[in-house]
Amino acid sequence: MENLISLVNKLQRACTALGDHGEESTLPTLWDSLPAIAVVGGQSSGKSSVLESVVGKDFLPRGSGIVTRRPLVLQLHRIDEGREYAEFMHLPRKRFTDFAAVRKEIQDETDRETGRSKEISPVPIHLSIYSPNVVNLTLIDLPGLTKVAVEGQPESIVADIENMV
């Protein structure tokens, strides 16, 4: 089972690196075929807080309105011993042991893709957390569902988020 989980984790990383993140297309994508648990719900309904509870760390951006503006692919890796750390796929070999710095990097990476706007992007951020306190699991934090666009968002945002989900 551990070998299967490791293989799925590697395939998910490869998909992200190659730009396959489940976009709408006429053909099924490899990303869509891989197992993961997605957290879905309305804006500010506690999705990110649930993920933080699973991990046991505060590391996700907080605020009002649309805070999660890109999918976050969160791969949890159980390690037998040692200090907990996090790694982003876009920053290879850089280990984060300060989870406040993880939160800031998620915000900064989101802004690099979307600007400092209220827009969203389907391009995922890929984060791995290594800890003796987690189980091997892939979770996806998605932008919250909304009913209407607010100032600074395209009118298509409602459909864009629904399509992402």
Side-chain angles (χ1 to χ4, degrees), residues 9 24 32 44 81 114 133 161:
N9 288 346
E24 286 186 41
D32 292 331
S44 301
E81 56 187 51
T114 64
N133 304 315
I161 293 172

Side-chain angles (χ1 to χ4, degrees), residues 15-99:
C15 286
T16 301
L18 295 171
D20 175 3
H21 40 81
E23 292 182 61
E24 286 186 41
S25 70
T26 55
L27 298 172
T29 68
L30 177 57
W31 176 261
D32 292 331
S33 302
L34 297 172
I37 297 171
V39 181
V40 179
Q43 283 183 11
S44 301
S45 63
K47 299 175 302 302
S48 296
S49 296
V50 168
L51 291 179
E52 287 182 331
S53 294
V54 169
V55 175
K57 294 280 184 196
D58 292 334
F59 65 98
L60 294 171
R62 297 194 181 276
S64 60
I66 187 162
V67 177
T68 304
R69 295 182 287 129
R70 291 176 63 185
L72 176 72
V73 178
L74 176 61
Q75 288 186 331
L76 304 179
H77 304 270
R78 181 172 176 75
I79 55 175
D80 290 329
E81 56 187 51
R83 190 167 181 198
E84 296 173 307
Y85 65 95
E87 292 180 338
F88 289 94
M89 193 170 84
H90 65 273
L91 296 171
R93 294 177 297 280
K94 181 174 181 182
R95 289 187 175 186
F96 289 78
T97 55
D98 177 0
F99 283 80

Side-chain angles (χ1 to χ4, degrees), residues 64-70 107 110-121 150-154 157:
S64 60
I66 187 162
V67 177
T68 304
R69 295 182 287 129
R70 291 176 63 185
Q107 291 169 327
T110 297
D111 289 345
R112 282 190 277 277
E113 177 70 24
T114 64
R116 293 188 179 267
S117 67
K118 295 179 182 175
E119 293 187 25
I120 62 166
S121 169
V150 297
E151 186 177 333
Q153 293 177 332
I157 195 161

